[in-house]
């Protein structure tokens, strides 16, 4: 296996028991696959929530069945937290605080996340919550980047997820300061699925902003797609603000838009 795999294996060998927090993306699914195959005592924890697409949960269940995981599906209950629902700039802190607390209540052993070294250069308040609850980050401990973990997935034959585009939780589509609402998240997901059926773009985001609904893609959206999304918005009493180039984190506001 690759040098990255050996580094990660050495890190995992330090833990006789681990609970992996698995969202359904390539990072956590790859880590869970390697850890569950190497360690005798592993638990896979996956949270269901209006902010988690059904496709992600289906993906986790599929892996659990094929790999024989001890899967615990939990409700993180972040939608009962007014701090999370108010959608401040550090919303992710409250999300992860709830998540790790619920995992600790239902699972044993250290909790591990799929955070990789690329994540450390971004504003991620969820990492503060992780530190407070002693969550470990095996990829970081093994100095593994996003590119390397995708290579790990390919090397393990996980071709179905190795090229998965980044899919942060649906709440990340809601502009800072606009309250998180389950209906908004369901609408966002529906628009993104409609756009994905029509566009070859790997990165598609539907943003809920103070000026309306905007579609962002990393490839130009054709006029027919724009008209289709506009009609869908009108049918749901939403104002369509147009199509824009994809910009990572553009729903996040801290003083000025970033």
């Amino acid at each position: 296996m690759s040098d990255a795999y050996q580094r990660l294996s050495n890190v995992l060998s330090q833990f006789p028991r681990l609970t992996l927090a698995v969202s359904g993306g390539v990072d956590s699914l790859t880590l869970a696959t390697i850890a569950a195959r190497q360690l005798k005592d592993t638990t896979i924890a996956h949270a269901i929530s209006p902010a988690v697409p059904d496709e992600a949960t289906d993906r986790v269940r599929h892996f659990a069945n094929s790999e024989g995981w001890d899967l615990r599906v939990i409700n993180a209950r972040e939608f009962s937290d007014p701090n999370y629902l108010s959608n401040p700039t550090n919303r992710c802190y409250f999300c992860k605080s709830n998540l790790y607390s619920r995992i600790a209540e239902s699972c044993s052993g250290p909790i591990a996340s799929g955070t990789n070294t690329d994540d450390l250069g971004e504003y991620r308040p969820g990492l503060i919550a992780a530190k407070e609850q002693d969550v470990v980050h095996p990829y970081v401990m093994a100095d593994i980047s996003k590119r390397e973990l995708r290579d790990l997935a390919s090397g393990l034959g996980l071709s179905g997820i190795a090229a998965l585009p980044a899919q942060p939780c649906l709440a990340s589509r809601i502009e800072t300061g606009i309250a998180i609402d389950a209906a908004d998240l369901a609408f966002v997901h529906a628009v993104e699925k409609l756009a994905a059926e029509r566009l070859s773009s790997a990165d598609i985001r539907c943003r809920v902003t103070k000026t309306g609904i905007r579609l962002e893609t990393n490839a130009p959206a054709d006029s027919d797609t724009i008209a289709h999304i506009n009609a869908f918005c009108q049918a749901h009493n939403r104002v369509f603000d147009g199509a824009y180039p994809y910009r990572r984190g553009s729903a996040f506001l801290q003083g000025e838009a970033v």
Side-chain angles (χ1 to χ4, degrees), residues 9 11 17 22-23 27 32 34 39 84 107 113 123-124 132 143 204 210 246 258:
S9 180
V11 167
R17 172 186 294 178
V22 176
S23 65
D27 305 25
I34 296 172
L39 304 177
Y84 168 84
C107 304
S113 85
Y123 175 64
R124 289 185 177 253
E132 290 176 351
D143 194 28
I204 297 173
K210 293 179 177 66
Y246 168 69
V258 297

Side-chain angles (χ1 to χ4, degrees), residues 8-251:
L8 182 59
S9 180
N10 290 341
V11 167
L12 292 173
S13 67
Q14 302 174 29
F15 302 97
R17 172 186 294 178
L18 269 182
T19 293
L20 286 298
V22 176
S23 65
V26 59
D27 305 25
S28 58
L29 282 173
T30 301
L31 178 62
T33 300
I34 296 172
R37 290 178 181 181
Q38 178 176 334
L39 304 177
K40 291 182 179 180
D41 194 349
T42 59
T43 302
I44 309 302
H46 174 70
I48 54 173
S49 158
V52 178
D54 290 342
E55 294 88 342
T57 299
D58 291 344
R59 203 177 296 125
V60 173
R61 292 188 186 278
H62 171 77
F63 267 74
N65 289 333
S66 63
E67 294 286 330
W69 288 347
D70 175 13
L71 174 63
R72 313 285 177 86
V73 177
I74 65 172
N75 185 340
R77 301 204 293 268
E78 74 273 30
F79 275 71
S80 298
D81 184 349
N83 292 309
Y84 168 84
L85 294 176
S86 66
N87 196 16
T89 56
N90 64 337
R91 180 198 69 249
C92 290
Y93 170 81
F94 300 106
C95 175
K96 295 298 186 184
S97 291
N98 282 281
L99 170 65
Y100 295 136
S101 294
R102 300 295 88 74
I103 292 176
E105 289 172 1
S106 59
C107 304
S108 59
I111 301 171
S113 85
T115 299
N116 63 80
T117 57
D118 289 3
D119 298 328
L120 302 181
E122 301 175 353
Y123 175 64
R124 289 185 177 253
L127 290 176
I128 299 173
K131 184 176 181 180
E132 290 176 351
Q133 301 198 43
D134 297 321
V135 175
V136 298
H137 311 296
Y139 285 138
V140 175
M141 296 169 70
D143 194 28
I144 290 177
S145 66
K146 185 79 170 189
R147 179 187 60 78
E148 287 179 303
L149 72 86
R150 287 191 185 277
D151 289 343
L152 285 173
S154 295
L156 291 167
L158 308 179
S159 57
I161 66 167
L164 273 178
Q167 284 292 323
C169 79
L170 293 173
S172 68
R173 293 9 173 222
I174 312 302
E175 186 174 280
T176 301
I178 298 176
I180 301 297
D181 179 80
D184 280 347
L185 302 188
F187 177 81
V188 160
H189 189 45
V191 170
E192 292 184 354
K193 289 173 68 175
L194 283 175
E197 293 172 357
R198 295 168 169 268
L199 301 173
S200 59
S201 172
D203 291 305
I204 297 173
R205 298 288 187 273
C206 172
R207 310 286 194 192
V208 176
T209 76
K210 293 179 177 66
T211 57
I213 304 298
R214 64 166 57 191
L215 179 70
E216 295 185 5
T217 71
N218 62 0
D222 59 88
S223 58
D224 183 61
T225 297
I226 293 174
H228 189 72
I229 298 300
N230 183 38
F232 185 81
C233 288
Q234 290 180 347
H236 290 79
N237 297 314
R238 306 271 184 157
V239 175
F240 184 51
D241 193 35
Y244 297 81
Y246 168 69
R247 189 158 61 93
R248 188 173 181 177
S250 63

